Amino acid sequence: MSDTRTVRLILAGYGTVGRALHDILRADGDAIAARHGVRFEVAAIARSQGAWVAKEGEVLDALPVSDRKDLTVSDLIDQVEADVLVELTPTDLDTAEPSMGHMRAAFEKGLHVVTANKGPVVVDYPGLMDAAASAGRAVRFEATAGAAIPLMSLADFCIQGNPVTRIEGILNGTSNYILTRMGEEGLAFDQALYEAQAMGYAEADPTADVGGHDAAAKVVILANHVLGRPLTLDEVKVTGIGDITGEAVQLALKQGYVLRLVATVGLEGTATVAPRLVPEASPLNVPGTLNVVRMHTAHAGPIVVTGHGAGGEETASAVLADLLALPA
Amino acid sequence: MSDTRTVRLILAGYGTVGRALHDILRADGDAIAARHGVRFEVAAIARSQGAWVAKEGEVLDALPVSDRKDLTVSDLIDQVEADVLVELTPTDLDTAEPSMGHMRAAFEKGLHVVTANKGPVVVDYPGLMDAAASAGRAVRFEATAGAAIPLMSLADFCIQGNPVTRIEGILNGTSNYILTRMGEEGLAFDQALYEAQAMGYAEADPTADVGGHDAAAKVVILANHVLGRPLTLDEVKVTGIGDITGEAVQLALKQGYVLRLVATVGLEGTATVAPRLVPEASPLNVPGTLNVVRMHTAHAGPIVVTGHGAGGEETASAVLADLLALPA
């Protein structure tokens, strides 16, 4: 395409997702330009070790040498000419900082924001939307729930006009992996958790995953964006899977059910994350680390979407979709 | 929203889908205007009994009195001031007419086209795209495959940048209903077909559904639009379900499989529609009239979407989504 636009990115955070995004942009850059008329250039990267800033016309083909220890994310937003802040710093579900500050600064500088960071979306969805709208900029956050599974963009661009009235889903792959393994292999919770940690699916501190708080944060995001319901995190009733015994899982299986950590939210009533008996034949019975979301719609019954809810490349693919969905 | 645009529609065809769309627009018109800033007005309707044309400022609140037997669809396109042709006439998979003619005339008059009619998309996808592009108009056809399930829009707006490399799916609800009932109730094919006809799921002439040709047409649409592969209908290898015995279905079940009419197409190789053994736990094992599509993606593994693949209101919801996705 002859009229390829260049879109310059500031990457705040360069962990698994940031590196995977950078890898995709390097590998697929020409194909993306040909197909979508956009070429994404990394203008600057901020990571804990320091920052990297592109010199005039420089294209980053390898890992960045982060030698600018003097530059913060805010400095980059202030000083680097760019179009989009890609906010991939660690999530803080209490304060949403420093991510929210980065995003507000970005809007004020005229940048769009794409993020995989749940913090600002969960802690202050209306504030985030207002900040973007006031600046006339876009904020997109497909990667914050379900990673590669289209949820926000599905509601925005695919089933608009067909309102979603209720959402049920498996929104945490770690707990689903543990429950799957308890069912398949008759493992106790502690054994399955240990295995999940050994496989790299669970953090050293697995509280957010097995306690249901990670899924609850995603419920808040889906409620606000897909249902248009101003739900807050403290309104979600959360029960984790830590007390589930191997016997309970096996007993359920004998009756034709699996135990799953199911998130549920409607237009009103209590939003919950809790272990539920799910019929084996239910579309909500997904194995391993998969995520699944069932959206009940006003005009077409349930629409169910299943896929990988975690992983660097999977999450980066959602960030890229958001980048491509930004207004020109 | 103060700056609500009015978008005027010509409905060509006013069967189940057309009436359902009209019902949704009447019931949800204010909500759509508030949320999307667009008000859709029916400017004219063409049906077999005759045409209806809105008088100056007239809003159609009831079933149209189709008293203009002198006006054809082409006349309406030529004479009525409108923005979009909603093409819902019956599908012809041999000639694509009269639908293709309507669409070309609409583009030439500066109208966008939204359709649930597979004909033009299957018979001449490149010609249809070229005609739209030459006129600088959009053509959208989400409803032509999977009805309410987002497939084309999902590829266009949700997972752009994450190329789909292979598609498998259950794309015909009638045959899936028959196979489901043969499994659940041990019915013979003829009994299950009779039941499907009695329930209104199967046509009096079920050839296209049980013969696999309806699914094959949808494979052609998905191949062309989602995979970017210029596949034609005669290239799809099609085997129907008419020869499947109740014994075969029961034998499969004993081994942990269900028989399903599975459509498969990749970037190269043979595209097929054929009965396949599907593991009971597979996401492709959907019951009854449901449809399911598994898209294998370059960066995020499989993404599976399930929902109602037929029905007037369900199909109309996809037409409405397409209308909302049109450029302003």
Side-chain angles (χ1 to χ4, degrees):
Chain A
M1 210 174 285
S2 54
D3 55 343
T4 300
R5 293 183 296 131
T6 298
V7 172
R8 291 167 60 85
L9 313 178
I10 296 174
L11 304 189
Y14 198 73
T16 326
V17 178
R19 280 196 297 273
L21 176 66
H22 194 185
D23 285 346
I24 294 176
L25 293 179
R26 280 183 289 189
D28 295 359
D30 291 344
I32 292 168
R35 184 156 180 188
H36 300 283
V38 184
R39 184 170 292 278
F40 296 105
E41 282 183 9
V42 178
I45 295 172
R47 55 203 299 216
S48 45
Q49 300 94 314
W52 171 89
V53 180
K55 295 173 187 64
E56 176 76 29
E58 184 182 6
V59 174
L60 182 61
D61 269 331
L63 275 180
V65 177
S66 312
D67 54 0
R68 295 294 304 272
K69 299 193 196 310
D70 54 316
L71 291 175
T72 64
V73 175
S74 303
D75 294 333
L76 297 183
I77 293 167
D78 196 43
Q79 296 169 22
V80 174
E81 195 184 316
D83 305 291
V84 185
L85 172 68
V86 181
E87 226 299 342
L88 304 172
T89 63
T91 294
D92 183 316
L93 288 175
D94 293 319
T95 69
E97 296 300 345
S99 177
M100 185 65 106
H102 297 160
M103 293 184 187
R104 289 185 184 280
F107 294 141
E108 281 163 27
K109 279 290 280 190
L111 276 65
H112 300 301
V113 172
V114 170
T115 189
N117 185 323
K118 290 187 285 293
V121 194
V122 172
V123 172
D124 187 9
Y125 180 87
L128 179 64
M129 294 299 115
D130 284 351
S134 303
R137 298 289 91 185
V139 55
R140 301 205 60 82
F141 42 88
E142 182 61 66
T144 57
I149 308 175
L151 299 172
M152 271 57 80
S153 59
L154 192 119
D156 290 344
F157 305 130
C158 297
I159 57 169
Q160 338 88 297
N162 183 17
V164 178
T165 55
R166 184 172 183 77
I167 297 171
E168 297 150 352
I170 311 283
L171 296 171
N172 181 269
T174 305
S175 54
N176 204 63
Y177 179 84
I178 291 170
L179 292 171
T180 302
R181 295 294 291 160
M182 289 173 75
E184 286 172 354
E185 300 289 333
L187 301 182
F189 174 80
D190 286 343
Q191 291 172 297
L193 170 59
Y194 179 82
E195 186 182 285
Q197 288 170 323
M199 301 283 286
Y201 298 145
E203 308 284 331
D205 177 0
T207 315
D209 290 327
V210 303
H213 309 292
D214 173 71
K218 292 165 181 170
V219 164
V220 169
I221 295 171
L222 295 175
N224 277 276
H225 192 75
V226 177
L227 297 176
R229 173 179 173 180
L231 187 77
T232 57
L233 193 53
D234 58 2
E235 293 176 296
V236 185
K237 193 168 170 227
V238 183
T239 311
I241 63 168
D243 292 335
I244 292 180
T245 63
E247 289 72 26
V249 172
Q250 294 304 320
L251 188 63
L253 273 177
K254 286 205 186 89
Q255 316 279 337
Y257 292 87
V258 293
L259 265 162
R260 289 291 182 263
L261 183 64
V262 178
T264 309
V265 60
L267 295 173
E268 47 193 39
T270 308
T272 58
V273 173
R276 303 267 183 219
L277 289 170
V278 171
E280 276 193 282
S282 166
L284 294 182
N285 174 15
V286 295
T289 59
L290 289 176
N291 281 197
V292 58
V293 173
R294 177 160 61 188
M295 299 189 186
H296 296 267
T297 68
H299 298 304
I303 294 173
V304 183
V305 203
T306 308
H308 289 288
E313 188 177 357
E314 292 83 352
T315 307
S317 79
V319 172
L320 176 56
D322 276 351
L323 287 171
L324 288 165
L326 291 174
Chain B
M1 209 173 287
S2 53
D3 55 344
T4 300
R5 292 182 298 129
T6 298
V7 172
R8 292 168 59 84
L9 313 178
I10 296 175
L11 305 189
Y14 198 72
T16 327
V17 177
R19 281 196 297 272
L21 176 66
H22 194 188
D23 286 345
I24 294 175
L25 293 179
R26 280 184 290 190
D28 296 357
D30 291 345
I32 292 168
R35 183 156 182 190
H36 300 284
V38 184
R39 184 170 292 278
F40 296 104
E41 282 183 10
V42 178
I45 295 172
R47 55 203 300 216
S48 45
Q49 300 94 314
W52 172 91
V53 180
K55 294 172 188 63
E56 177 75 32
E58 182 182 8
V59 174
L60 182 62
D61 270 330
L63 274 181
V65 177
S66 311
D67 55 0
R68 296 294 304 273
K69 299 191 196 311
D70 54 317
L71 292 174
T72 64
V73 175
S74 302
D75 293 333
L76 297 183
I77 293 167
D78 196 44
Q79 297 169 21
V80 174
E81 195 186 316
D83 305 292
V84 185
L85 172 68
V86 181
E87 226 299 341
L88 305 172
T89 63
T91 293
D92 183 316
L93 289 176
D94 292 319
T95 69
E97 295 301 344
S99 178
M100 184 64 106
H102 298 159
M103 294 184 187
R104 289 184 184 279
F107 295 141
E108 279 162 28
K109 280 290 279 191
L111 277 65
H112 300 300
V113 172
V114 170
T115 190
N117 184 323
K118 290 186 286 294
V121 193
V122 172
V123 173
D124 188 9
Y125 180 87
L128 180 64
M129 293 300 116
D130 283 351
S134 303
R137 300 289 90 185
V139 55
R140 301 205 60 82
F141 42 87
E142 182 61 67
T144 57
I149 309 175
L151 298 173
M152 270 57 78
S153 58
L154 192 119
D156 289 343
F157 305 129
C158 297
I159 57 169
Q160 338 87 296
N162 184 16
V164 178
T165 54
R166 185 172 183 77
I167 297 172
E168 296 150 354
I170 311 283
L171 295 170
N172 181 269
T174 305
S175 54
N176 205 64
Y177 178 85
I178 291 170
L179 292 172
T180 302
R181 295 294 291 161
M182 290 174 74
E184 284 172 354
E185 300 290 332
L187 301 182
F189 173 80
D190 287 342
Q191 292 172 296
L193 170 60
Y194 181 81
E195 185 183 285
Q197 287 169 324
M199 300 285 285
Y201 298 145
E203 308 283 332
D205 177 0
T207 316
D209 290 326
V210 303
H213 308 293
D214 173 72
K218 292 164 181 170
V219 163
V220 169
I221 296 171
L222 295 175
N224 278 276
H225 193 75
V226 177
L227 297 178
R229 174 180 173 180
L231 187 76
T232 57
L233 192 53
D234 58 2
E235 293 176 297
V236 184
K237 195 172 168 223
V238 183
T239 311
I241 63 168
D243 293 335
I244 292 180
T245 62
E247 289 72 27
V249 172
Q250 294 304 320
L251 189 63
L253 274 177
K254 285 205 187 87
Q255 316 278 337
Y257 291 86
V258 293
L259 264 161
R260 288 293 183 261
L261 184 63
V262 178
T264 309
V265 59
L267 295 173
E268 48 192 39
T270 308
T272 59
V273 173
R276 302 267 183 219
L277 289 170
V278 170
E280 275 193 281
S282 166
L284 294 183
N285 174 14
V286 295
T289 60
L290 289 176
N291 282 196
V292 58
V293 173
R294 177 159 62 187
M295 298 188 186
H296 297 267
T297 68
H299 296 304
I303 293 174
V304 183
V305 203
T306 308
H308 289 288
E313 188 177 358
E314 292 83 351
T315 307
S317 78
V319 172
L320 176 56
D322 275 350
L323 286 172
L324 288 165
L326 290 173

